[in-house]
Amino acid sequence: MRLRRYFVVAAAVGAFAVIGVLAYAMLFSQGHGPDLGNQVPWLGHKEASTGPAGQTQPVGSKGDTPPDGGTDAGTATPELPSGMLLLIGAVPVGAGMLLLERRRSRAERR
Amino acid sequence: MQSAADRGLGATVGRWRAAGILPVLFLIAAVAVALLPPALHAIATWSSDPELSFGFVVPPVALVLAWLRRPSRSDATQGSWLGLLPIALGLVLLLVGSRVGVHALAALGLLPVGLGLALLLGGRPWVVAVSIPLVLLTGAVALYRGLLNPLGFALQQVSATCAAALAGLTGLPVTQVGVNLYAPGVHLVVAEACSGLDSLLALLCLGGVLVGLAPARPWRRLLLFAFVLPVILVANVVRITLVLLLGGAFGTVVETGLGHEALSGILFAISAALLLGLSYLLECPPRLRRHSSPAC
């Protein structure tokens, strides 16, 4: 019981820390926040640039010069569309919920 | 002479009129017509942007969720005329949003209109029952690409940095230049489509369902929902790291082909299962059967 409580506290701190880090990165990638030369030192960024649609893009998108001086454009590794992912994710979640519900009702019957 | 079908229809309408259902049906129909333009715009957005394609799944999911959270007969109360206030507020939002051409603002009107209808027709228990499904639905209808850009950029940067660090820990020499990752024989770009935003939106939706079905304290449900972001970030970092590690040996099959799509799907399924497991660890497990104190 106590172990679970420790886990909950540690997990909560971790989860909100990750959210904080992302919020920090969001602020800097948009050029907001305190003026530190628009740098996120630990992310290795130089400065934000403006994309063709007038949107700010993070530095280092396709076309940046590779370290060896070549011109390789690189390969993007896109995810599946969110709709498909949602359907895929619904399978284990739905199955898990049904299974646990069955176990619970069996336990209640006993 | 009236046919049997006409007589049957007439009798049904008569029964509805006697039960006071007709005005309610007219009200629902009028609201549906008013909400049609933002709904059509949302469908066009979901069709054109793969990141927002989860929107197609949300309406049926919201319906099922509302059904599972429906109040029991013992909780049934009379509707309240106070429901007209949020309906009016929602219609004002809808009108202003349509007038100034801000579809997201018009779509936000869906939430007060839905809650108002629930209060008007079913009372507080129904407001509680439809609140989370309506939030999901409003989120899906109101979201647009520009709103997600800052989060997408942040996810790109953090994912690239963490993946480079993780791959480095396994002994793979990785050089990071912004969102470009260079390893022997591999040059990956953690582009917008690789940021993890698709997974995040899909898991947020699943998280909303889990939270909606969990008869637990609000802070536990909030904590479970907060876990969606870290879970997705870790899954995306693992995905990019695996592509870096395997890309040198297997090439484009792992980077962009069917193999990569399978990897993406498997990792998301694991993330979804992990979120379900977390709900049990946080003592916030979802229940399919109706519970007496549904989520707020």
Side-chain angles (χ1 to χ4, degrees):
Chain A
M1 196 66 188
R2 183 177 282 182
L3 199 67
R4 181 180 272 196
R5 199 168 293 166
Y6 286 146
F7 164 78
V8 170
V9 172
V13 170
F16 285 105
V18 171
I19 292 170
V21 165
L22 272 167
Y24 180 77
M26 266 171 76
L27 286 174
F28 280 96
S29 69
Q30 287 295 292
H32 301 306
D35 185 15
L36 299 172
N38 210 8
Q39 280 187 341
V40 186
W42 46 271
L43 286 175
H45 280 266
K46 294 169 280 186
E47 60 184 6
S49 60
T50 304
Q55 294 169 335
T56 312
Q57 297 282 342
V59 175
S61 51
K62 271 194 168 186
D64 267 16
T65 312
D68 58 3
T71 53
D72 173 24
T75 312
T77 58
E79 293 181 288
L80 289 170
S82 62
M84 201 177 286
L85 285 173
L86 182 53
L87 290 175
I88 291 172
V91 175
V93 169
M97 277 165 65
L98 279 173
L99 231 124
L100 291 161
E101 198 66 43
R102 255 179 69 180
R103 261 180 62 182
R104 194 181 287 146
S105 51
R106 257 189 219 159
E108 277 172 10
R109 253 182 275 150
R110 272 183 214 148
Chain B
M1 211 172 102
Q2 269 189 326
S3 70
D6 286 344
R7 278 200 304 276
L9 186 66
T12 308
V13 171
R15 272 201 304 275
W16 285 1
R17 191 180 290 151
I21 291 175
L22 270 188
V24 169
L25 284 180
F26 277 124
L27 179 67
I28 292 174
V31 167
V33 169
L35 290 171
L36 200 59
L40 289 177
H41 180 263
I43 290 170
T45 310
W46 300 340
S47 316
S48 60
D49 193 340
E51 267 173 12
L52 299 175
S53 62
F54 77 102
F56 284 111
V57 190
V58 171
V61 165
L63 266 179
V64 172
L65 188 57
W67 176 252
L68 289 171
R69 285 165 56 88
R70 73 192 184 280
S72 59
R73 288 198 178 169
S74 58
D75 292 338
T77 56
Q78 288 275 320
S80 164
W81 288 106
L82 283 176
L84 287 175
L85 285 176
I87 292 177
L89 172 72
L91 290 178
V92 167
L93 277 176
L94 191 73
L95 202 68
V96 172
S98 306
R99 187 81 184 151
V100 298
V102 181
H103 295 288
L105 185 65
L108 281 179
L110 181 64
L111 183 63
V113 165
L115 290 176
L117 270 177
L119 183 60
L120 182 70
L121 304 177
R124 197 180 166 277
W126 271 103
V127 173
V128 172
V130 301
S131 56
I132 290 183
L134 271 175
V135 167
L136 278 178
L137 196 61
T138 308
V141 174
L143 268 185
Y144 60 96
R145 194 65 197 82
L147 194 68
L148 296 170
N149 276 343
L151 179 60
F153 296 159
L155 280 170
Q156 273 176 265
Q157 296 164 7
V158 176
S159 299
T161 305
C162 294
L166 188 61
L169 283 178
T170 64
L172 188 76
V174 178
T175 309
Q176 184 196 356
V177 181
V179 291
N180 288 278
L181 299 174
Y182 300 92
V186 184
H187 172 193
L188 282 188
V189 183
V190 184
E192 237 178 278
C194 331
S195 62
L197 205 54
D198 292 73
S199 315
L200 180 65
L201 291 171
L203 200 64
L204 277 175
C205 189
L206 276 178
V209 172
L210 291 181
V211 164
L213 291 175
R217 289 180 184 171
W219 71 267
R220 285 189 189 276
R221 283 184 274 140
L222 185 72
L223 188 56
L224 177 65
F225 202 63
F227 266 110
V228 170
L229 192 57
V231 165
I232 282 304
L233 188 63
V234 169
N236 200 36
V237 167
V238 169
R239 183 179 67 88
I240 296 168
T241 308
L242 283 175
V243 173
L244 277 172
L245 290 171
L246 303 174
F250 299 101
T252 49
V253 178
V254 180
E255 290 168 13
T256 55
L258 193 66
H260 177 260
E261 285 178 358
L263 180 69
S264 175
I266 290 168
L267 280 173
F268 186 77
I270 292 172
S271 309
L274 190 65
L275 195 68
L276 182 64
L278 278 169
S279 75
Y280 279 85
L281 279 172
L282 293 172
E283 294 174 17
C284 180
R287 296 205 65 168
L288 283 176
R289 276 189 295 174
R290 226 168 5 177
H291 35 78
S292 54
S293 57
C296 64

